[in-house]
Amino acid sequence: MRLSCKVVAILLFLGSLLLLYLLGGSADEATPKAAPGKSWLRAALSGPGGASAPSPFARVRPLGAAQVSKRLRQPRLHTKPGRRSAGRQDKFSSVRKHGEPKHSQSMPAEQWMHLAVVACGDRLEETLIMLKSAILFSYRKIRFHIFAEDSLKPEFDKKLRQWPPSYTKKFEHSIYPITFSVGNAQEWKKLFKPCAAQRLFLPVILKDVDSLLYVDTDVLFLRPIDDIWRLLKQFNSTQLAAMAPEHEIPKIGWYSRFARHPYYGMTGVNSGVMLMNLTRIRNTQFKNSLIPTGLAWEDMLYPLYQKYKNYITWGDQDLLNIIFYFNPECLYVFPCQWNYRPDHCMYGSNCKGAEQEGVSVLHGNRGVYHDDKQPTFKALYEVMRDFPFQDNLFQSMYYPLQLKFLETVHTLCGRIPQVFLKQIEKTMKRVYEKHVIVHVRSNRMYY
């Protein structure tokens, strides 16, 4: 009888040890997750908190004590975060959807992105909103190259220095005068819109810059600029610039109907968003209609203008079309979602890439940010203009856009709001996962 009691006691003791072992193992392997039934977007509104770095979600409200207790109800871990927990956190931070582009975390931190813009006349505010959209979502640092009239330089410098420190540390800026190295400066300045021809001279002026993204002042980035910068790696050995088609359908395109000069491809290209390998441009001899041999970029510009000046309508963009007509192997053509204009929706939706992936870069030409002809474009501009730095992206950008878009459903562009919202939503999800979820996971290591 005594022996039986001893055996039972030993079995109970061993069973208790096994139970403790299993409970400890499950606690160690538990994977933190969002509250059941909550999408990332709803979680962004309720705010899991824990973000230690300034971000567009920095003002998200933390969970209440009851919610925290519910979501973190598990045995405390008494081990310090070591190699195992760090590896698990790294693994989580690198998770991304299949097909999504890799981001700057995997690229050298010292590699700067270069963004150039030319601003004259009344384009100060428009330019600042464009720069704001670029820095808002970017991962790597950006160097802004701003070409402006003398009267605008002090205001540019003042406004950019007023941005919050968490954003000013992400960029450097240089402001240059409007200069043209060849030909008549006044003639170049009045070629199309004020100072627009300056973009033709960027390879000559920025001699120490290898690659550059040029955009018009009326451009807005709806996803990280890192993603379009990465297209430089897709250039083959002869390509030195990238632009999007002027139109997707030849029968309604401007060049295919009205141009009186050579132009690239079936519909021409639009120069409002132009990715350039400046080193290659400076080192290339371009075929042309002037002489049988090749000409360097700087030597070709003014003679080409003199030959075609009575036939061009869109100034420097027409000259670029002429250049790449004779040198098609030098151009990389990127899809329309990287230069989405009113033409892509005002005659009916004709940009398939935007329908599938959403608009990546919005180009509000035709002055649509400042009139009521295309209220969808104007809504995006105004929301970006009014967005407070370091505020909640959902509450202060995504939600106001949805409300404004409800007022534009009577227009052709307003009938497809998902085209304009898709990339913004993806970008918010990335920011949320990077600045909020990862910090919640790391904080749970200490419970």
PDB file of all heavy atoms in Angstrom, residues 363-383:
ATOM      1  N   HIS A 363       0.264  63.132 -61.925  1.00  0.00           N
ATOM      2  CA  HIS A 363       0.734  64.317 -62.651  1.00  0.00           C
ATOM      3  C   HIS A 363      -0.485  65.175 -62.990  1.00  0.00           C
ATOM      4  O   HIS A 363      -1.234  64.868 -63.905  1.00  0.00           O
ATOM      5  CB  HIS A 363       1.473  63.888 -63.922  1.00  0.00           C
ATOM      6  CG  HIS A 363       2.105  65.017 -64.659  1.00  0.00           C
ATOM      7  ND1 HIS A 363       2.819  64.848 -65.833  1.00  0.00           N
ATOM      8  CD2 HIS A 363       2.151  66.356 -64.405  1.00  0.00           C
ATOM      9  CE1 HIS A 363       3.257  66.006 -66.260  1.00  0.00           C
ATOM     10  NE2 HIS A 363       2.867  66.944 -65.415  1.00  0.00           N
ATOM     11  N   GLY A 364      -0.656  66.244 -62.242  1.00  0.00           N
ATOM     12  CA  GLY A 364      -1.839  67.094 -62.426  1.00  0.00           C
ATOM     13  C   GLY A 364      -1.610  68.204 -63.427  1.00  0.00           C
ATOM     14  O   GLY A 364      -1.734  69.395 -63.085  1.00  0.00           O
ATOM     15  N   ASN A 365      -1.280  67.833 -64.669  1.00  0.00           N
ATOM     16  CA  ASN A 365      -1.106  68.874 -65.687  1.00  0.00           C
ATOM     17  C   ASN A 365      -2.468  69.466 -66.069  1.00  0.00           C
ATOM     18  O   ASN A 365      -3.493  69.098 -65.506  1.00  0.00           O
ATOM     19  CB  ASN A 365      -0.349  68.323 -66.901  1.00  0.00           C
ATOM     20  CG  ASN A 365      -1.126  67.232 -67.628  1.00  0.00           C
ATOM     21  OD1 ASN A 365      -2.051  66.633 -67.074  1.00  0.00           O
ATOM     22  ND2 ASN A 365      -0.747  66.966 -68.864  1.00  0.00           N
ATOM     23  N   ARG A 366      -2.472  70.376 -66.997  1.00  0.00           N
ATOM     24  CA  ARG A 366      -3.678  71.119 -67.400  1.00  0.00           C
ATOM     25  C   ARG A 366      -4.199  72.013 -66.271  1.00  0.00           C
ATOM     26  O   ARG A 366      -5.333  72.496 -66.318  1.00  0.00           O
ATOM     27  CB  ARG A 366      -4.801  70.169 -67.847  1.00  0.00           C
ATOM     28  CG  ARG A 366      -4.450  69.248 -69.010  1.00  0.00           C
ATOM     29  CD  ARG A 366      -5.602  68.302 -69.277  1.00  0.00           C
ATOM     30  NE  ARG A 366      -5.332  67.385 -70.385  1.00  0.00           N
ATOM     31  CZ  ARG A 366      -5.701  67.590 -71.641  1.00  0.00           C
ATOM     32  NH1 ARG A 366      -6.343  68.707 -71.954  1.00  0.00           N
ATOM     33  NH2 ARG A 366      -5.436  66.709 -72.580  1.00  0.00           N
ATOM     34  N   GLY A 367      -3.405  72.232 -65.221  1.00  0.00           N
ATOM     35  CA  GLY A 367      -3.815  73.100 -64.116  1.00  0.00           C
ATOM     36  C   GLY A 367      -4.950  72.546 -63.284  1.00  0.00           C
ATOM     37  O   GLY A 367      -5.660  73.299 -62.601  1.00  0.00           O
ATOM     38  N   VAL A 368      -5.116  71.200 -63.249  1.00  0.00           N
ATOM     39  CA  VAL A 368      -6.297  70.615 -62.610  1.00  0.00           C
ATOM     40  C   VAL A 368      -6.285  70.704 -61.091  1.00  0.00           C
ATOM     41  O   VAL A 368      -7.316  70.477 -60.457  1.00  0.00           O
ATOM     42  CB  VAL A 368      -6.471  69.138 -63.043  1.00  0.00           C
ATOM     43  CG1 VAL A 368      -6.800  69.050 -64.523  1.00  0.00           C
ATOM     44  CG2 VAL A 368      -5.217  68.323 -62.718  1.00  0.00           C
ATOM     45  N   TYR A 369      -5.131  71.022 -60.491  1.00  0.00           N
ATOM     46  CA  TYR A 369      -5.107  71.192 -59.038  1.00  0.00           C
ATOM     47  C   TYR A 369      -5.794  72.488 -58.608  1.00  0.00           C
ATOM     48  O   TYR A 369      -6.138  72.651 -57.438  1.00  0.00           O
ATOM     49  CB  TYR A 369      -3.676  71.225 -58.509  1.00  0.00           C
ATOM     50  CG  TYR A 369      -2.906  69.925 -58.660  1.00  0.00           C
ATOM     51  CD1 TYR A 369      -1.513  69.934 -58.775  1.00  0.00           C
ATOM     52  CD2 TYR A 369      -3.544  68.689 -58.672  1.00  0.00           C
ATOM     53  CE1 TYR A 369      -0.790  68.755 -58.889  1.00  0.00           C
ATOM     54  CE2 TYR A 369      -2.827  67.505 -58.792  1.00  0.00           C
ATOM     55  CZ  TYR A 369      -1.450  67.546 -58.901  1.00  0.00           C
ATOM     56  OH  TYR A 369      -0.741  66.377 -59.028  1.00  0.00           O
ATOM     57  N   HIS A 370      -5.968  73.401 -59.541  1.00  0.00           N
ATOM     58  CA  HIS A 370      -6.392  74.754 -59.187  1.00  0.00           C
ATOM     59  C   HIS A 370      -7.706  75.176 -59.848  1.00  0.00           C
ATOM     60  O   HIS A 370      -8.078  76.337 -59.770  1.00  0.00           O
ATOM     61  CB  HIS A 370      -5.281  75.744 -59.548  1.00  0.00           C
ATOM     62  CG  HIS A 370      -3.928  75.327 -59.072  1.00  0.00           C
ATOM     63  ND1 HIS A 370      -3.593  75.275 -57.736  1.00  0.00           N
ATOM     64  CD2 HIS A 370      -2.829  74.886 -59.741  1.00  0.00           C
ATOM     65  CE1 HIS A 370      -2.337  74.847 -57.605  1.00  0.00           C
ATOM     66  NE2 HIS A 370      -1.856  74.601 -58.808  1.00  0.00           N
ATOM     67  N   ASP A 371      -8.396  74.257 -60.500  1.00  0.00           N
ATOM     68  CA  ASP A 371      -9.726  74.557 -61.026  1.00  0.00           C
ATOM     69  C   ASP A 371     -10.648  73.383 -60.688  1.00  0.00           C
ATOM     70  O   ASP A 371     -10.260  72.476 -59.959  1.00  0.00           O
ATOM     71  CB  ASP A 371      -9.690  74.839 -62.531  1.00  0.00           C
ATOM     72  CG  ASP A 371      -9.131  73.675 -63.350  1.00  0.00           C
ATOM     73  OD1 ASP A 371      -9.333  72.500 -62.957  1.00  0.00           O
ATOM     74  OD2 ASP A 371      -8.489  73.921 -64.392  1.00  0.00           O
ATOM     75  N   ASP A 372     -11.855  73.417 -61.205  1.00  0.00           N
ATOM     76  CA  ASP A 372     -12.835  72.384 -60.864  1.00  0.00           C
ATOM     77  C   ASP A 372     -13.115  71.424 -62.024  1.00  0.00           C
ATOM     78  O   ASP A 372     -14.118  70.709 -61.998  1.00  0.00           O
ATOM     79  CB  ASP A 372     -14.152  73.050 -60.421  1.00  0.00           C
ATOM     80  CG  ASP A 372     -13.976  73.871 -59.150  1.00  0.00           C
ATOM     81  OD1 ASP A 372     -13.257  73.400 -58.243  1.00  0.00           O
ATOM     82  OD2 ASP A 372     -14.531  74.989 -59.082  1.00  0.00           O
ATOM     83  N   LYS A 373     -12.202  71.367 -62.990  1.00  0.00           N
ATOM     84  CA  LYS A 373     -12.427  70.506 -64.146  1.00  0.00           C
ATOM     85  C   LYS A 373     -12.225  69.028 -63.803  1.00  0.00           C
ATOM     86  O   LYS A 373     -12.898  68.161 -64.358  1.00  0.00           O
ATOM     87  CB  LYS A 373     -11.501  70.915 -65.290  1.00  0.00           C
ATOM     88  CG  LYS A 373     -11.821  72.299 -65.855  1.00  0.00           C
ATOM     89  CD  LYS A 373     -10.865  72.660 -66.986  1.00  0.00           C
ATOM     90  CE  LYS A 373     -11.195  74.049 -67.529  1.00  0.00           C
ATOM     91  NZ  LYS A 373     -10.250  74.451 -68.611  1.00  0.00           N
ATOM     92  N   GLN A 374     -11.270  68.750 -62.913  1.00  0.00           N
ATOM     93  CA  GLN A 374     -11.001  67.371 -62.484  1.00  0.00           C
ATOM     94  C   GLN A 374     -10.929  67.344 -60.953  1.00  0.00           C
ATOM     95  O   GLN A 374      -9.850  67.371 -60.364  1.00  0.00           O
ATOM     96  CB  GLN A 374      -9.687  66.860 -63.103  1.00  0.00           C
ATOM     97  CG  GLN A 374      -9.690  66.773 -64.612  1.00  0.00           C
ATOM     98  CD  GLN A 374     -10.731  65.785 -65.130  1.00  0.00           C
ATOM     99  OE1 GLN A 374     -11.120  64.853 -64.445  1.00  0.00           O
ATOM    100  NE2 GLN A 374     -11.187  66.008 -66.355  1.00  0.00           N
ATOM    101  N   PRO A 375     -12.079  67.301 -60.285  1.00  0.00           N
ATOM    102  CA  PRO A 375     -12.089  67.400 -58.815  1.00  0.00           C
ATOM    103  C   PRO A 375     -11.346  66.270 -58.109  1.00  0.00           C
ATOM    104  O   PRO A 375     -10.904  66.448 -56.967  1.00  0.00           O
ATOM    105  CB  PRO A 375     -13.589  67.373 -58.481  1.00  0.00           C
ATOM    106  CG  PRO A 375     -14.275  66.824 -59.685  1.00  0.00           C
ATOM    107  CD  PRO A 375     -13.435  67.222 -60.852  1.00  0.00           C
ATOM    108  N   THR A 376     -11.190  65.110 -58.750  1.00  0.00           N
ATOM    109  CA  THR A 376     -10.449  64.018 -58.120  1.00  0.00           C
ATOM    110  C   THR A 376      -8.993  64.400 -57.934  1.00  0.00           C
ATOM    111  O   THR A 376      -8.392  64.168 -56.877  1.00  0.00           O
ATOM    112  CB  THR A 376     -10.558  62.736 -58.959  1.00  0.00           C
ATOM    113  OG1 THR A 376     -11.930  62.475 -59.249  1.00  0.00           O
ATOM    114  CG2 THR A 376      -9.960  61.556 -58.223  1.00  0.00           C
ATOM    115  N   PHE A 377      -8.377  64.987 -58.954  1.00  0.00           N
ATOM    116  CA  PHE A 377      -6.985  65.429 -58.877  1.00  0.00           C
ATOM    117  C   PHE A 377      -6.849  66.557 -57.852  1.00  0.00           C
ATOM    118  O   PHE A 377      -5.900  66.583 -57.062  1.00  0.00           O
ATOM    119  CB  PHE A 377      -6.497  65.899 -60.248  1.00  0.00           C
ATOM    120  CG  PHE A 377      -6.160  64.784 -61.190  1.00  0.00           C
ATOM    121  CD1 PHE A 377      -7.152  64.035 -61.796  1.00  0.00           C
ATOM    122  CD2 PHE A 377      -4.843  64.477 -61.483  1.00  0.00           C
ATOM    123  CE1 PHE A 377      -6.845  63.002 -62.661  1.00  0.00           C
ATOM    124  CE2 PHE A 377      -4.516  63.441 -62.344  1.00  0.00           C
ATOM    125  CZ  PHE A 377      -5.522  62.703 -62.938  1.00  0.00           C
ATOM    126  N   LYS A 378      -7.809  67.474 -57.874  1.00  0.00           N
ATOM    127  CA  LYS A 378      -7.763  68.594 -56.935  1.00  0.00           C
ATOM    128  C   LYS A 378      -7.878  68.107 -55.492  1.00  0.00           C
ATOM    129  O   LYS A 378      -7.201  68.625 -54.585  1.00  0.00           O
ATOM    130  CB  LYS A 378      -8.898  69.579 -57.247  1.00  0.00           C
ATOM    131  CG  LYS A 378      -8.866  70.849 -56.419  1.00  0.00           C
ATOM    132  CD  LYS A 378      -9.972  71.804 -56.830  1.00  0.00           C
ATOM    133  CE  LYS A 378      -9.918  73.100 -56.039  1.00  0.00           C
ATOM    134  NZ  LYS A 378     -11.005  74.032 -56.425  1.00  0.00           N
ATOM    135  N   ALA A 379      -8.715  67.090 -55.268  1.00  0.00           N
ATOM    136  CA  ALA A 379      -8.885  66.544 -53.917  1.00  0.00           C
ATOM    137  C   ALA A 379      -7.573  65.973 -53.389  1.00  0.00           C
ATOM    138  O   ALA A 379      -7.193  66.202 -52.232  1.00  0.00           O
ATOM    139  CB  ALA A 379      -9.972  65.473 -53.925  1.00  0.00           C
ATOM    140  N   LEU A 380      -6.855  65.224 -54.217  1.00  0.00           N
ATOM    141  CA  LEU A 380      -5.573  64.655 -53.802  1.00  0.00           C
ATOM    142  C   LEU A 380      -4.572  65.748 -53.464  1.00  0.00           C
ATOM    143  O   LEU A 380      -3.844  65.661 -52.467  1.00  0.00           O
ATOM    144  CB  LEU A 380      -5.021  63.753 -54.907  1.00  0.00           C
ATOM    145  CG  LEU A 380      -5.548  62.320 -54.897  1.00  0.00           C
ATOM    146  CD1 LEU A 380      -5.419  61.691 -56.273  1.00  0.00           C
ATOM    147  CD2 LEU A 380      -4.795  61.488 -53.877  1.00  0.00           C
ATOM    148  N   TYR A 381      -4.527  66.779 -54.272  1.00  0.00           N
ATOM    149  CA  TYR A 381      -3.591  67.884 -54.037  1.00  0.00           C
ATOM    150  C   TYR A 381      -3.912  68.581 -52.714  1.00  0.00           C
ATOM    151  O   TYR A 381      -3.010  68.848 -51.898  1.00  0.00           O
ATOM    152  CB  TYR A 381      -3.664  68.882 -55.193  1.00  0.00           C
ATOM    153  CG  TYR A 381      -2.794  70.101 -55.003  1.00  0.00           C
ATOM    154  CD1 TYR A 381      -1.426  70.043 -55.250  1.00  0.00           C
ATOM    155  CD2 TYR A 381      -3.343  71.312 -54.575  1.00  0.00           C
ATOM    156  CE1 TYR A 381      -0.617  71.165 -55.082  1.00  0.00           C
ATOM    157  CE2 TYR A 381      -2.549  72.437 -54.402  1.00  0.00           C
ATOM    158  CZ  TYR A 381      -1.183  72.359 -54.659  1.00  0.00           C
ATOM    159  OH  TYR A 381      -0.408  73.476 -54.478  1.00  0.00           O
ATOM    160  N   GLU A 382      -5.183  68.868 -52.473  1.00  0.00           N
ATOM    161  CA  GLU A 382      -5.563  69.609 -51.271  1.00  0.00           C
ATOM    162  C   GLU A 382      -5.338  68.785 -50.005  1.00  0.00           C
ATOM    163  O   GLU A 382      -4.918  69.322 -48.972  1.00  0.00           O
ATOM    164  CB  GLU A 382      -7.023  70.047 -51.382  1.00  0.00           C
ATOM    165  CG  GLU A 382      -7.243  71.124 -52.441  1.00  0.00           C
ATOM    166  CD  GLU A 382      -8.698  71.548 -52.552  1.00  0.00           C
ATOM    167  OE1 GLU A 382      -9.578  70.815 -52.044  1.00  0.00           O
ATOM    168  OE2 GLU A 382      -8.954  72.606 -53.156  1.00  0.00           O
ATOM    169  N   VAL A 383      -5.612  67.492 -50.069  1.00  0.00           N
ATOM    170  CA  VAL A 383      -5.386  66.642 -48.893  1.00  0.00           C
ATOM    171  C   VAL A 383      -3.899  66.540 -48.588  1.00  0.00           C
ATOM    172  O   VAL A 383      -3.485  66.600 -47.425  1.00  0.00           O
ATOM    173  CB  VAL A 383      -6.012  65.252 -49.107  1.00  0.00           C
ATOM    174  CG1 VAL A 383      -5.543  64.276 -48.031  1.00  0.00           C
ATOM    175  CG2 VAL A 383      -7.529  65.350 -49.087  1.00  0.00           C
TER     176      VAL A 383
END
